[in-house]
Amino acid sequence: MKEKLHTIPVNEAFDKVSECPVCNMRKELEEKAIDFTMGPSYMEDDVRGETSRLGFCKSHMELLYKNQNRLGLALILKSHMDRVIKDVEKQSASSTKIAAPSLFKKQGSSLGVVSYMEKLNSSCYICEMINRTFERYIATVFYLYRHEEEFRQKFKACQGFCNDHYALLYKVAPKHLSGSQLKSFTDDLNLLYIENMKRVRDDLEWFINKFDYRYANEPWKNSKDALPRAITKTNSII
């Protein structure tokens, strides 16, 4: 199989034994984004400008803190807080007096502050880094499915997908495939999802049974790690 720009990480994700290869791809991107952000790059003006403007979501802030580069994170947050203070001072200075809302009139322009904070609280430098490459990875999945028989067989042999990424692949498939290839892909996708959800569900059921004294002497089968695998299937956590 001829490896192109993004085919290597996509193939590697599908080569791993996992309840969702797409989760593997996203997790790898997340780890690289955290390492990049907390590496020497945080001293670069263009990176600092973006982290100051966008900030970070809660989950990625927790991962940044766990990175142990406390000085680097402190410098990043200092610049971010400087930017937020400056922006809010500017927004609040230009706001008009807050008027009580009515049925027929929207609240005054002071809502510019609220709009700014809502936009800030929904932005994340790490998320944006991940999403830019993740979209290309998803496009590569369809490129490989369309052109490479070896990958089609690899796709069919995987252990299915989490709820989120099953829906994503189903949603974007018509943008990349058509006709018989689209039908073949959605048939494969549906079969993989349903059969593997049932497999993990059954493992989880046996895991539950093992807490019943009547099953104390029965083998665990494949259920010992059923709970974390079920969490991957339902919530995309690996």
Side-chain angles (χ1 to χ4, degrees):
M1 179 184 293
K2 184 178 179 181
E3 300 288 0
K4 297 179 176 62
L5 183 59
H6 296 298
T7 61
I8 294 175
V10 171
N11 270 304
E12 287 178 346
F14 276 85
D15 285 335
K16 295 177 182 177
V17 177
S18 169
E19 295 299 344
C20 182
V22 181
C23 282
N24 284 340
M25 291 189 286
R26 192 170 184 89
K27 183 67 173 179
E28 182 182 4
L29 288 173
E30 182 179 64
E31 290 172 352
K32 288 181 177 179
I34 294 292
D35 290 342
F36 173 83
T37 303
M38 299 311 300
S41 62
Y42 74 82
M43 295 299 294
E44 298 175 7
D45 290 342
D46 58 337
V47 174
R48 187 72 69 84
E50 286 297 284
T51 57
S52 297
R53 180 176 68 87
L54 296 170
F56 305 96
C57 66
K58 292 179 180 179
S59 61
H60 287 140
M61 180 58 72
E62 290 176 351
L63 291 177
L64 290 169
Y65 186 72
K66 290 177 181 178
N67 184 267
Q68 297 299 316
N69 184 355
R70 301 296 166 78
L71 175 59
L73 184 56
L75 290 168
I76 290 170
L77 288 180
K78 165 65 165 53
S79 297
H80 175 58
M81 293 175 76
D82 286 342
R83 171 67 181 263
V84 171
I85 291 168
K86 181 179 178 181
D87 288 347
V88 171
E89 285 179 338
K90 182 178 179 180
Q91 288 281 349
S92 59
S94 63
S95 297
T96 59
K97 182 179 179 181
I98 299 176
S102 68
L103 293 175
F104 307 105
K105 186 177 181 181
K106 293 183 178 180
Q107 205 165 357
S109 62
S110 60
L111 284 182
V113 173
V114 176
S115 178
Y116 170 81
M117 295 307 299
E118 288 177 344
K119 183 177 180 181
L120 177 66
N121 291 334
S122 64
S123 67
C124 174
Y125 176 75
I126 300 293
C127 286
E128 289 208 359
M129 280 190 68
I130 293 170
N131 290 336
R132 284 194 296 268
T133 307
F134 184 68
E135 289 177 3
R136 294 196 289 270
Y137 280 10
I138 294 300
T140 302
V141 170
F142 290 101
Y143 171 86
L144 289 170
Y145 189 93
R146 188 167 64 247
H147 293 287
E148 304 284 357
E149 174 61 24
E150 182 180 345
F151 180 80
R152 285 194 290 273
Q153 295 306 315
K154 188 181 297 187
F155 183 89
K156 294 176 184 179
C158 81
Q159 293 188 316
F161 303 91
C162 68
N163 291 342
D164 186 31
H165 294 138
Y166 164 68
L168 174 64
L169 291 171
Y170 204 104
K171 178 181 178 180
V172 302
K175 298 179 181 178
H176 301 276
L177 303 171
S178 61
S180 60
Q181 277 198 324
L182 176 59
K183 184 179 186 308
S184 177
F185 178 85
T186 53
D187 287 347
D188 291 342
L189 181 64
N190 286 333
L191 185 64
L192 283 166
Y193 174 77
I194 294 169
E195 286 193 344
N196 285 284
M197 282 290 282
K198 289 179 178 179
R199 171 181 55 81
V200 176
R201 185 273 317 274
D202 291 346
D203 288 345
L204 193 64
E205 183 177 29
W206 189 250
F207 176 83
I208 294 167
N209 288 341
K210 282 294 294 177
F211 286 84
D212 188 324
Y213 73 92
R214 293 173 295 177
Y215 297 88
N217 295 322
E218 296 292 333
W220 280 88
K221 301 180 182 180
N222 295 320
S223 70
K224 284 190 175 181
D225 63 345
L227 187 56
R229 289 189 289 112
I231 290 171
T232 297
K233 287 295 192 192
T234 57
N235 291 88
S236 309
I237 299 172
I238 59 174

